[in-house]
Amino acid sequence: MALKSSEAITLRTYPFREADRIAVFFSRGYGKIRGIARGARLLKSHFGSTLEPMSYLRVIFFERENQELAVINSCDLLESHAAHRNTLEGSYYCAYVAELLSEFTQEGEVNEKLFRLTLAVLDPNLRLEWEMRARYLETWLLRLEGVFPPLQQCGRCGRALRAGAVYIDGGGQEALCRDCGGSGRLSLDADQHQLVREIFSRKIGAVPWGQWSRQALKNLGKLNSKLIQYHLEKPLKTGRFLKELNQC
Ligand SMILES: [Zn+2]
């Protein structure tokens, strides 16, 4: 059986049999990977902290014929991202990002842009709060999936879209002007419109985040969460935790 190797990000694990875990990764070379990490539940496991959510690593694995699960041979840590999990807020957001990635990636489907986006959002050298990292990831993820439409011109009449008068349908895809859009659609206020345009035109570290109030960030989060729910046809499980956290 040929060993395969890829950079990957750990999404989650769950116990399997007495000593093993099933690990789910988002890999650069193979899309989502689900595999058995043998002995990972033992105290002295050679997997160490590589199976913590959001660890960036090199995974070596092999696939078995007619078996759903791969076998994880070894994992070498490239960046632990442990600092992200140090606080309650950070661990909630890590779980949220893991669920987002898990829902939007498929086994065997490479998604290089999403992989690079994820690494950029997790960059430990960025001095950015989680709320901003999450908005950047969600908005771009929805864009890459074709859900969040470009906001330059109306999808029906072609006129340039003016801030404060933009509507998008529940499934995304089309941004409409005031004349073509209107009731029953999601609307973007001027803040959301401007913020989304900044997100689409800059790297995460270059977006002038300080120009937006916390409320504006939350409003974009609400819009994104509606689009995510519409696209997946269900709400995210971790969305509830974040809502509670934001009410504290
Ligand atoms: Zn129009």
Side-chain angles (χ1 to χ4, degrees):
M1 272 164 287
L3 283 177
K4 294 178 173 176
S5 158
S6 177
E7 286 170 55
I9 291 157
T10 306
L11 300 182
R12 59 177 295 220
T13 68
Y14 41 98
F16 184 63
R17 296 194 293 234
E18 223 165 278
D20 306 338
R21 282 187 173 279
I22 291 178
V24 184
F25 303 99
F26 171 32
S27 77
R28 188 165 214 152
Y30 302 92
K32 188 152 70 180
I33 300 172
R34 291 172 70 240
I36 304 173
R38 289 191 176 129
R41 294 181 73 188
L42 302 174
L43 217 50
K44 285 187 178 170
S45 153
H46 67 278
F47 289 105
S49 68
T50 56
L51 300 183
E52 296 290 338
M54 297 301 116
S55 293
Y56 172 40
L57 50 102
R58 174 160 291 281
V59 59
I60 313 247
F61 66 104
F62 61 89
E63 285 162 315
R64 303 167 298 169
E65 226 171 284
N66 302 323
Q67 297 285 324
E68 208 184 308
L69 294 169
V71 174
I72 309 302
N73 204 64
S74 64
C75 294
D76 291 316
L77 201 61
L78 298 174
E79 176 78 63
S80 79
H81 293 140
H84 288 319
R85 301 185 300 268
N86 276 347
T87 60
L88 182 65
E89 186 193 29
S91 43
Y92 276 4
Y93 271 106
C94 284
Y96 171 68
V97 170
E99 192 185 2
L100 255 188
L101 294 175
S102 187
E103 290 292 343
F104 278 89
T105 55
Q106 307 297 331
E107 285 169 55
E109 235 175 63
V110 177
N111 194 335
E112 170 67 20
K113 279 185 182 161
L114 182 55
F115 194 84
R116 275 192 278 129
L117 169 66
T118 307
L119 285 184
V121 165
L122 292 173
D123 183 352
N125 299 316
L126 270 183
R127 291 185 167 272
L128 263 194
E129 289 175 35
W130 258 112
E131 186 142 35
M132 298 155 187
R133 294 180 196 255
R135 286 308 86 85
Y136 195 86
L137 179 69
E138 293 155 354
T139 314
W140 259 113
L141 172 68
L142 288 165
R143 180 83 201 92
L144 294 175
E145 292 295 316
V147 180
F148 212 120
L151 298 179
Q152 273 81 8
Q153 49 191 182
C154 174
R156 296 254 168 94
C157 69
R159 274 182 290 178
L161 289 172
R162 290 202 331 271
V166 177
Y167 298 84
I168 48 183
D169 52 4
Q173 282 132 17
E174 255 191 344
L176 304 169
C177 70
R178 199 193 293 269
D179 295 336
C180 302
S183 65
R185 294 198 167 78
L186 303 171
S187 63
L188 267 83
D189 63 26
D191 271 347
Q192 286 170 318
H193 186 206
Q194 197 53 38
L195 176 52
V196 170
R197 289 187 70 156
E198 291 286 354
I199 287 174
F200 287 160
S201 59
R202 294 173 196 267
K203 292 191 168 159
I204 182 169
V207 173
W209 295 102
Q211 288 181 17
W212 282 275
S213 65
R214 195 151 292 273
Q215 196 54 48
L217 289 170
K218 282 196 200 312
N219 290 344
L220 179 59
K222 281 184 199 159
L223 176 75
N224 284 345
S225 125
K226 282 182 192 155
L227 290 170
I228 289 167
Q229 185 166 338
Y230 190 92
H231 186 72
L232 298 176
E233 299 179 342
K234 61 176 182 187
L236 291 177
K237 292 189 199 114
T238 49
R240 191 167 50 88
F241 295 146
L242 291 183
K243 220 181 262 172
E244 283 167 16
L245 188 77
N246 285 326
Q247 279 160 2
C248 293

